């Protein structure tokens, strides 16, 4: 049993990461839908952010439903029906949501569009509750956050491709500005997505994924049984706020970027897609870099891969945009900004708390540069926030569920609930933008990063008091 847990179980891990791809594809596509809906339905910046709110509030509703059903049936729902069945059920719910896009597009109904997005994300809520702790559990705990980072890297393959495919479906290859026609063209990509959800549900049902991962079973018998609820752990409670503000800053930075580029830099709506794609590709670049340790324990190989991985991910972004016939010239300079990411990744030495602190500080710097400059410098500063958000999710998630034992899936559900930050922080930034300027509104993101830096500092002490130390693996292995 122990030997099995010494290394990542790739046969089980690879089928699992397919769901991570879908979350990314849909979440990033929302940024393309926002300006289109804004024009078609004649919305304010605040109203257009209802797209983000509908999508992200569904995570909270899903988590609350999960906790309510678990409470009423006097037992953890996921532990009862199994991790694998829960994933398949989540995909089925998401598939039903994609079907709503058909009548919504035919009737030109904004509320129905929002309902479709809400239902898709409702399914994602259940998938996320299962898949995140599962990714950590499919191998040694010391590389758990790196495995989650790798899964996040696959998620960002979806976020890089999503905006380009949806943009192509809406605007076509010709630079058409007739967005009334485009609402109709939302139907096909979402129906195809629904079919893909169903295929993956069947695929996962017959895969070798465990119904209950061994790592979670083992820790159930340990000291974690002493506390009656996941909410009795301070690392989780503070981590819930951290997830709220982290998803908030990640989403609102991207979802307010199209309006900034249209208003301040006179970009056309259909020319913004590659920049949104670059923002989400930045998350992929950072996550591929942060996932290096999940592949090999050899320090010399890790050093080489730390340089290869980010530029490989950047290459994927350039390749996809080349296929979409976008001009790549504005993006080459971004290769220099990636060096900052590599240096920060090396400085963190694989410790999730230290990484969270360094990357949050860099996020603050990036936003302040974006707020105080103009032209393309500000655009690159705002897109580089993606680089510094890249590894924060796995860091926060790993720190927050450390030591929870049998309360892991309950704790995970509380964290997934806080994904609603993506909607509320976007809405807050939209409000600040309407009241001041879009550039000034990025102060909301600065405040979010400031809390994350605080959590990184605070949680280290909390975990040390519980006998959990992430620095041990640096000095000696597993």
């Amino acid at each position: 049993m122990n030997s099995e847990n010494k290394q990542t179980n790739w046969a089980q891990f690879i089928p699992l990461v397919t769901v991570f791809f879908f979350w990314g594809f849909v979440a990033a596509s929302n940024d393309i839908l926002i300006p289109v809906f804004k024009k078609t339905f004649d919305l304010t910046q605040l109203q257009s952010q209802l797209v983000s709110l509908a999508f992200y509030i569904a995570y909270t509703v899903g988590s609350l439903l999960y906790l309510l059903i678990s409470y009423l049936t006097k037992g953890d729902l996921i532990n009862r029906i199994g991790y694998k069945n829960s994933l398949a059920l989540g995909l089925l719910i998401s598939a039903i949501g994609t079907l709503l896009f058909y009548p919504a597009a035919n009737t030109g109904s904004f509320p129905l569009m929002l309902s479709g997005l809400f239902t898709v994300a409702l399914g994602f809520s259940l998938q996320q509750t299962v898949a995140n702790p599962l990714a950590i559990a499919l191998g040694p705990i010391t590389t758990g956050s790196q495995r989650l980072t790798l899964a996040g890297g696959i998620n960002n393959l979806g976020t890089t491709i999503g905006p380009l495919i949806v943009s192509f479906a809406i605007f076509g290859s010709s630079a058409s500005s007739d967005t009334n026609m485009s609402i109709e063209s939302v139907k096909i990509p979402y129906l195809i997505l629904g079919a893909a959800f169903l295929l993956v549900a069947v695929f996962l049902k017959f895969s070798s994924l465990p119904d209950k991962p061994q790592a979670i079973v083992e820790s159930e018998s340990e000291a974690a049984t002493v506390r009656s609820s996941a909410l009795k752990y301070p690392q989780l409670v503070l981590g819930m706020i951290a997830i709220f503000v982290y998803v908030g800053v990640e989403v609102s930075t991207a979802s307010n970027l199209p309006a900034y580029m249209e208003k301040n830099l006179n970009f056309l709506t259909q020319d913004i897609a590659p920049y949104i794609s670059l923002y989400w590709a930045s998350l992929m670049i950072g996550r591929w870099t942060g996932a290096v340790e999940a592949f090999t324990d050899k320090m010399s190989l890790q050093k080489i891969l730390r340089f290869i991985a980010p530029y490989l991910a950047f290459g994927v972004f350039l390749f996809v945009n080349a296929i979409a016939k976008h001009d790549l010239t504005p993006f080459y300079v971004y290769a220099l900004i990636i060096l900052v990411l590599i240096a920060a990744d090396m400085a963190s030495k694989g410790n999730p708390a230290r990484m969270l602190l360094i990357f949050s500080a860099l996020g603050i710097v990036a936003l302040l540069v974006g707020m105080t400059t103009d032209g393309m410098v500000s655009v690159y500063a705002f897109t580089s926030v993606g680089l510094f958000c890249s590894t924060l999710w796995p860091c926060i998630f790993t720190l927050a569920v450390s030591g929870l034992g049998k309360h892991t899936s309950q704790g995970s559900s509380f964290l997934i609930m806080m994904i609603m930050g993506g909607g509320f922080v976007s809405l807050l930034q939209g409000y600040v933008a309407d009241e001041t300027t879009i550039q000034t509104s990025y102060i909301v993101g600065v405040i979010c990063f400031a809390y994350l830096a605080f959590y990184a500092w605070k949680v280290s002490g909390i975990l040390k008091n519980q006998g959990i130390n992430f620095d041990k693996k640096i000095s000696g292995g597993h």
Side-chain angles (χ1 to χ4, degrees), residues 217-368:
V217 176
E218 281 181 344
S219 55
E220 280 187 11
S221 57
E222 292 166 13
T225 51
V226 176
R227 305 192 192 197
S228 56
S229 153
L231 291 174
K232 296 277 196 295
Y233 293 84
Q235 65 264 42
L236 178 75
V237 177
L238 293 173
M240 285 165 66
I241 304 168
I243 289 285
F244 183 93
V245 297
Y246 153 69
V247 180
V249 68
E250 177 189 286
V251 173
S252 63
T253 300
S255 62
N256 286 282
L257 191 58
Y260 169 69
M261 291 176 71
E262 282 174 357
K263 212 167 175 181
N264 293 43
L265 308 176
N266 301 318
F267 270 74
L268 293 172
T269 307
Q270 58 269 25
D271 294 337
I272 289 168
Y275 293 91
I276 294 299
S277 170
L278 176 63
Y279 178 82
W280 295 104
S282 296
L283 284 143
M284 175 171 71
I285 291 164
R287 283 172 182 169
W288 286 22
T289 313
V292 161
E293 283 184 48
F295 286 104
T296 176
D297 325 358
K298 294 196 180 76
M299 293 299 281
S300 54
L301 191 57
Q302 280 181 19
K303 279 178 185 157
I304 298 164
L305 287 175
R306 272 206 173 86
F307 280 92
I308 294 173
Y311 288 107
L312 194 64
F314 187 48
V316 170
F317 160 77
L318 292 173
F319 177 68
V320 170
N321 276 278
I323 292 173
K325 297 194 166 50
H326 291 135
D327 177 21
L328 301 182
T329 326
F331 303 117
Y332 295 135
V333 67
Y334 207 70
L336 295 173
I337 302 172
I338 294 171
L339 291 171
V340 179
L341 167 89
I342 296 169
D345 183 65
M346 286 175 157
S348 64
K349 298 188 177 128
N351 178 317
R354 192 180 297 118
M355 184 174 264
L356 184 55
L357 186 62
I358 294 170
F359 278 58
S360 300
L362 287 169
I364 291 172
V365 172
L367 283 176
L368 291 175

Side-chain angles (χ1 to χ4, degrees), residues 134-176:
L134 202 52
I136 294 171
L138 293 178
I141 189 67
T142 47
T143 53
S145 72
Q146 279 79 12
R147 253 188 315 286
L148 204 47
T149 303
L150 177 61
I154 304 298
N155 171 288
N156 293 119
L157 195 56
T159 55
T160 305
I161 297 168
L164 298 169
I165 290 179
V166 173
S167 179
F168 181 79
I170 292 176
F171 300 112
S173 50
S174 66
S176 157

